[in-house]
Amino acid sequence: MVIPKPGKPDYSVPKAYRMISLLPTLSKTIEHVALARMTVFALNCLSPLQFACWKGYSLVDAVHRIMEKVHKASNDKLYSSGLFLDVQGAFDKVLYQRLAEIMTTNNFPPYLVLRGHYYPFMLKLQQINSGAEY
């Protein structure tokens, strides 16, 4: 979308206009609508120990749960150990066919399940997001 900048003396010059991309706005709107619809079904698939997606829970809640377990083990004269992973780019490596199977098995409505004709498009997005192609 092209919008003229206010107060410019000459609108025949390209710098007198401001370019605005609506794609980020539209894609965020679609993302929020899809998220709202999927959340109802996804909550049945997630572990109660998964704090990232549950409304009203945060990283602080996860740390409190861990500390509670560590303190209990300490009081019982036991040892505690932990392994914490942050898998960078994990979403970029999603197997979309497997995700579609899981969604279907968990009774997601068909309009929310990724279908085969979307896979090449999603793989292309992965390449672009990973910087492999521009």
Side-chain angles (χ1 to χ4, degrees), residues 5 10 19 23 39 46 56 62-63 65-66 69 73 76 82 84 88 99 106 110 116 119 127:
K5 294 179 181 176
D10 184 11
M19 298 290 292
L23 182 59
T39 299
L46 296 174
V63 171
R65 178 170 273 182
I66 291 168
K69 300 281 186 187
D76 293 343
F84 303 92
Q88 184 177 0
L99 178 59
N106 286 284
Y119 302 143
Q127 290 173 345

Side-chain angles (χ1 to χ4, degrees), residues 1-6 11 13-22:
M1 175 179 271
V2 180
I3 298 176
K5 294 179 181 176
Y11 286 101
V13 180
K15 288 187 176 187
Y17 295 90
R18 177 174 290 126
M19 298 290 292
I20 297 178
S21 173
L22 295 179

Side-chain angles (χ1 to χ4, degrees), residues 9 26 29 48 71 74 89 95 131:
L26 292 173
T29 302
H71 285 288
S74 178
L95 300 172

Side-chain angles (χ1 to χ4, degrees), residues 5-45:
K5 294 179 181 176
K8 293 292 179 177
D10 184 11
Y11 286 101
S12 64
V13 180
K15 288 187 176 187
Y17 295 90
R18 177 174 290 126
M19 298 290 292
I20 297 178
S21 173
L22 295 179
L23 182 59
T25 305
L26 292 173
S27 64
K28 284 292 179 190
T29 302
I30 292 169
E31 180 182 329
H32 286 287
V33 169
L35 177 63
R37 290 182 177 189
M38 292 180 89
T39 299
V40 175
F41 301 98
L43 292 178
N44 296 329
C45 304

Side-chain angles (χ1 to χ4, degrees), residues 67-81:
M67 292 307 298
E68 180 183 302
K69 300 281 186 187
V70 169
H71 285 288
K72 183 176 180 338
S74 178
N75 290 339
D76 293 343
K77 306 287 190 236
L78 298 171
Y79 292 101
S80 299
S81 63

